Amino acid sequence: MVARQESHPVPGAAGPAEFRAAAEMMRAAAVRPEVFCEEMPAPQRIAPWSTALSADVTVDEVDLGTGRIILLHDPAGNDAWEGTFRCVAYARAEIDPELVSDPMLAGVGWTWLTEALEAHSAAYVAASGTVTSVATESFGSMADEEATAQLEVRASWTPVTDEHGVPDMKAHVEAWAELLCTAVGLPPVPEGVTAIPSRRGQRGS
């Protein structure tokens, strides 16, 4: 049996036209200035074509959250995806340790994602994922260190494509960035205020 040849180029540099267009939309997404977003190596062997972005949420030089979003593309289609594209996202945020004991926290974390997708008109199907909260306390010689807690959202969904077979990845990336900001507790952007385009090197500018 001959293994299928896989290609993982520089994001957007090659591949089917639908993939190139989707990758370009990802880079055109507008995110809040607190979000430092840049391209990262995409995982291989999952799909013939893939591209990825990472993000850190920083306020007053303090990192409050981090995440990544990966776009997978298989022109032949994938029954499990219910389409030819698949978004795989991860978000981790520092939260108040007291929130970890809240039985509704996981459900709220998932709602942050679905509401962000809906708010940005990022149409999707076949969503799945997990929400995990972890608390850390220190003892002994480390007892003076403050307790910490993190919330992690791991999710995947299939973005709906247009008549040309291209998903609106700008909307999906912006929704993922909003999830990160909501998770770390940033207030919503006031109406009428526009986010800035994501770009490499944003943090140092």
Side-chain angles (χ1 to χ4, degrees), residues 31-38 54-59 61-67 196-205:
V31 300
R32 294 175 57 152
E34 297 92 343
V35 180
F36 169 69
C37 191
E38 64 180 349
S54 66
D56 294 312
V57 183
T58 305
V59 177
E61 300 185 353
V62 177
D63 290 333
L64 301 179
T66 187
I196 64 175
S198 164
R199 63 186 187 278
R200 299 193 65 167
Q202 178 175 316
R203 177 178 291 170
S205 60

Side-chain angles (χ1 to χ4, degrees), residues 6 39 49 55 58 80 88 94-95 121 126 137 143 178 185 198:
E6 297 180 330
E39 294 174 10
W49 302 96
T58 305
V88 180
E94 299 292 329
I95 61 173
S121 299
E137 290 191 51
E178 182 176 315
S198 164

Side-chain angles (χ1 to χ4, degrees), residues 3-203:
R4 181 179 63 180
Q5 184 176 1
E6 297 180 330
S7 301
H8 297 271
V10 175
E18 296 84 357
F19 173 75
R20 297 198 308 271
E24 187 64 29
M25 287 185 185
M26 290 182 71
R27 293 194 295 274
V31 300
R32 294 175 57 152
E34 297 92 343
V35 180
F36 169 69
C37 191
E38 64 180 349
E39 294 174 10
M40 63 172 286
Q44 300 184 11
R45 303 182 184 281
I46 301 177
W49 302 96
S50 59
T51 186
L53 297 174
S54 66
D56 294 312
V57 183
T58 305
V59 177
D60 295 331
E61 300 185 353
V62 177
D63 290 333
L64 301 179
T66 187
R68 59 182 176 270
I69 184 168
I70 303 163
L71 179 65
L72 307 173
H73 179 50
D74 188 342
N78 187 306
D79 291 340
W81 297 353
E82 299 182 24
T84 59
F85 285 92
R86 188 71 173 173
C87 292
V88 180
Y90 168 76
R92 186 185 70 209
E94 299 292 329
I95 61 173
D96 188 328
E98 294 183 358
L99 294 177
V100 173
S101 60
D102 187 341
M104 299 182 64
L105 180 60
V108 170
W110 185 255
T111 299
W112 289 339
L113 170 63
T114 58
E115 288 184 346
L117 289 168
E118 292 170 5
H120 289 270
S121 299
Y124 67 95
V125 297
S128 63
T130 63
V131 179
T132 306
S133 55
V134 179
T136 303
E137 290 191 51
S138 302
F139 301 92
S141 60
M142 300 174 63
D144 292 338
E145 296 188 10
E146 294 184 0
T148 61
Q150 295 82 35
L151 179 75
E152 294 186 352
V153 179
R154 299 176 183 270
S156 64
W157 63 90
T158 296
V160 174
T161 57
D162 62 16
E163 65 273 18
H164 304 293
V166 180
D168 182 3
M169 287 309 301
K170 181 176 183 292
H172 288 271
V173 170
E174 290 173 358
W176 161 72
E178 182 176 315
L179 164 66
L180 279 169
C181 293
T182 301
V184 302
L186 291 182
V189 174
E191 186 174 354
V193 176
T194 303
I196 64 175
S198 164
R199 63 186 187 278
R200 299 193 65 167
Q202 178 175 316
R203 177 178 291 170

